[in-house]
Amino acid sequence: MTAALLFGGFTVLLLISVPIGIALGVASLLTLIYTNTLPVEYIAQTLITSVDSFPIMAVPFFILAAEIMGKGGISNRLFTLANTLVGNKTGGFAMATIVTCMFFAAISGSGPATVAAIGGIMIPSMVKMGYDKKFATALVAAAGSLGVIIPPSIPMVIYGVVGGASVGDLFVAGIIPGCLVAAGLMVYSYYYSKKMGYRGTGEKFTFKRFYDAAWDAKWALLIPIIIIGGIYGGIFTPTEAAAVAVVYGLIAGLLLYRELNIKDLPKVFADSALTTATVLIIVGAATVFGRLLTVEQIPTKVANAMLSISESPIIIIMLISLLLLIVGCFMDTLAAIIILTPILLPIATEIGYDPVHFGIIMVANLAIGFITPPLGVNLFVGSGISGLSIESLSKAIVPFFVAMIVTLLLIIFIPQISLMFLK
C-alpha cells in the first residue's frame, strides 16, 4: 500500500506538471499522513540531514565552477582547439562541436550546462556553415550528455554518496566510457555529413596551428588535469577539488583570460545558487522517498523478484538497463540515482558487477534520459537556443540515441572500459 501511494501520488503530480522535487516531497508527505508509518516531522529532518554531508558539498562547488568557466571565455578557446584537430575532416564542424562538448564536460559536470554553454555558440555557427538546424541542435543536445559521464560529474558524486563507492574512482572510471560515447556520436556525424555533403574547413592540420590553439586554451585544459590528478594523487578530496575548481575558474576568468568582470560575479553567484537550490531540493526529497521505500522493504522485494526471473547475469543487467532507460525518460537523474541505487546496486553486486562499474552503467543509462522525451532536459535547452519544437528535435535525436545505446552496451559488457585505470 505504501509503495502504491508513493508511486501513484508521484506519477499524478508529475502528470499535472508539478516540479519533480516538490512532487517527490508531496507524495512522501501524503503517504506518511495516510499510513502513519513515520512521524511527519521525519520529512523535515531528512531534508536537512540528507544534504548535511561533506561529499555533497562538491555539488554546489562544481555548479559554481561551471557557471564561472562558462562565462569566462573558455568555450570559444576549446572550440578553436577542437577545430584544429578535426575541423578539416568531412563533417569537421560537427565533430569539432562534439570534441568541444567533451572538453567542456570535463569542466562543468552537468549535461544542460554543457548544452547551454556550447549550443549558444555552435548551433548558430553550424547553421551558418550550411548544416541542417535540426541536426545541429540534436548533435549538441546528445553531446551535452557527456557532461554527466566525463568527470567531474555531479550524478557520480551523488551515486558515490548513496552507494558508498569512491567518488575519485568513479571519476577515473568515467574517462574512457565518456570518450567512447563521444566516438559513437562522431561516427554517426561523419556518416551523416558525408551523406549530406558537409565538408570540412579545408585547412590542413599543422602542429603549429594545434600548438597555438592548445597554448591559448592551456588554462582551460589544466582544469580536468588538476581535478582528476589531484583526487587520484591523494592531494585533495572530490569536495576540495570542486572548491579548487572554483578558485581556479575565478583566476582564469578574471586575471588570465580577462573575459569575466567583477560586475558579472553577482549574476554568476545568483544563477549557481538557484541551480544548487533546485538540485538540493531534489536530493532531499528523493532521499525521503527512498527511505520510505526502504522502510517497506521495497528494495529487497524488487531484488528478489528480478533475481527470480533468471539466473543469467546478462538478462538481469539488460532488465536493469531497460528499467533505467525508461526511468530516465520521466525522472530527474539525481532523483533516480538516490531512489534506485539502494534497489539496484545489491542486485548488480549479486550478479558479479563491481560497484564502480555499475555506477558508470547507471550514469550512462540515465545520461540518455537527457535526450529522451518527455523529460529530456537537453532537448528543452537546445529547443530554447534554436527555436525548434520538441517534436521535431525528438525525431532528429533518434540516430544519436541509437549511437549512445550501442556504446552503452559496450560499457555494460566490457568492464575493462571503465575499470582499466583503477588500482
Side-chain angles (χ1 to χ4, degrees):
M1 187 62 181
T2 301
L5 283 170
L6 270 175
F7 286 107
F10 176 60
T11 302
V12 170
L13 290 165
L14 282 185
L15 290 175
I16 60 175
S17 301
V18 175
I20 189 164
I22 306 300
L24 287 165
V26 171
S28 300
L29 175 62
L30 293 176
T31 302
L32 282 182
I33 292 172
Y34 186 82
T35 62
N36 202 27
T37 306
L38 293 167
V40 174
E41 293 82 357
Y42 179 77
I43 293 181
Q45 293 170 354
T46 305
L47 286 173
I48 300 300
T49 58
S50 62
V51 296
D52 184 17
S53 162
F54 184 71
I56 290 287
M57 285 176 62
V59 173
F61 280 124
F62 277 131
I63 290 171
L64 178 56
E67 287 284 344
I68 291 169
M69 295 170 193
K71 293 177 172 64
I74 286 175
S75 301
N76 287 324
R77 288 173 172 83
L78 292 176
F79 172 71
T80 301
L81 175 61
N83 204 33
T84 63
L85 287 170
V86 294
N88 62 332
K89 311 292 183 185
T90 298
F93 220 64
M95 289 193 283
T97 300
I98 295 170
V99 175
T100 307
C101 286
M102 283 180 62
F103 288 151
F104 195 83
I107 295 170
S108 70
S110 165
T114 302
V115 176
I118 305 302
I121 300 168
M122 295 312 305
I123 292 174
S125 299
M126 289 181 70
V127 172
K128 189 176 179 181
M129 289 286 292
Y131 285 81
D132 177 70
K133 184 185 280 190
K134 292 179 184 177
F135 170 77
T137 308
L139 170 72
V140 174
S145 299
L146 296 170
V148 298
I149 303 174
I150 293 178
S153 162
I154 293 172
M156 287 183 191
V157 173
I158 301 299
Y159 174 85
V161 172
V162 176
S166 165
V167 175
D169 285 352
L170 287 164
F171 280 3
V172 174
I175 296 172
I176 300 302
C179 293
L180 181 64
V181 173
L185 298 177
M186 291 175 74
V187 167
Y188 171 70
S189 298
Y190 176 83
Y191 166 78
Y192 181 85
S193 298
K194 191 169 186 179
K195 178 181 175 183
M196 302 300 293
Y198 298 145
R199 301 186 180 276
T201 60
E203 297 181 38
K204 188 178 179 181
F205 174 85
T206 64
F207 283 104
K208 185 181 185 309
R209 284 182 63 235
F210 172 73
Y211 174 81
D212 290 343
W215 183 255
D216 191 37
K218 60 184 179 296
W219 304 118
L221 295 174
L222 277 174
I223 296 168
I225 296 173
I226 291 172
I227 293 172
I228 303 301
I231 293 172
Y232 214 59
I235 300 171
F236 37 63
T237 66
T239 302
E240 291 165 345
V244 169
V246 171
V247 175
Y248 186 94
L250 286 170
I251 293 172
L254 292 171
L255 303 178
L256 301 176
Y257 289 140
R258 297 185 180 180
E259 295 193 19
L260 186 68
N261 298 316
I262 294 292
K263 64 181 181 181
D264 297 327
L265 293 182
K267 186 176 188 312
V268 169
F269 292 145
D271 289 346
S272 62
L274 182 61
T275 304
T276 298
T278 303
V279 168
L280 293 185
I281 287 172
I282 291 172
V283 169
T287 302
V288 176
F289 193 97
R291 287 182 182 175
L292 282 175
L293 292 179
T294 303
V295 168
E296 293 298 316
Q297 297 185 324
I298 302 300
T300 304
K301 293 174 183 175
V302 172
N304 292 336
M306 293 192 76
L307 290 171
S308 68
I309 292 174
S310 172
E311 294 182 358
S312 169
I314 294 176
I315 293 176
I316 293 172
I317 198 67
M318 292 304 292
L319 287 173
I320 290 174
S321 293
L322 180 62
L323 172 64
L324 289 170
L325 287 172
I326 294 171
V327 168
C329 294
F330 299 97
M331 188 179 289
D332 178 85
T333 301
L334 302 183
I337 288 173
I338 293 170
I339 293 169
L340 295 178
T341 297
I343 298 174
L344 301 179
L345 180 56
I347 302 174
T349 54
E350 179 74 18
I351 60 175
Y353 276 81
D354 181 272
V356 171
H357 181 206
F358 182 70
I360 301 301
I361 292 172
M362 195 168 191
V363 170
N365 265 290
L366 294 172
I368 297 175
F370 282 106
I371 61 169
T372 51
L375 190 59
V377 181
N378 285 10
L379 293 182
F380 284 96
V381 176
S383 173
I385 294 170
S386 65
L388 295 172
S389 68
I390 295 297
E391 290 77 11
S392 62
L393 279 181
S394 298
K395 295 176 183 176
I397 206 75
V398 170
F400 295 103
F401 171 83
V402 173
M404 293 181 75
I405 290 293
V406 172
T407 55
L408 172 64
L409 292 173
L410 293 175
I411 292 168
I412 290 172
F413 293 115
I414 307 177
Q416 292 78 9
I417 292 174
S418 302
L419 303 178
M420 67 171 69
F421 291 141
L422 297 182
K423 296 176 183 176

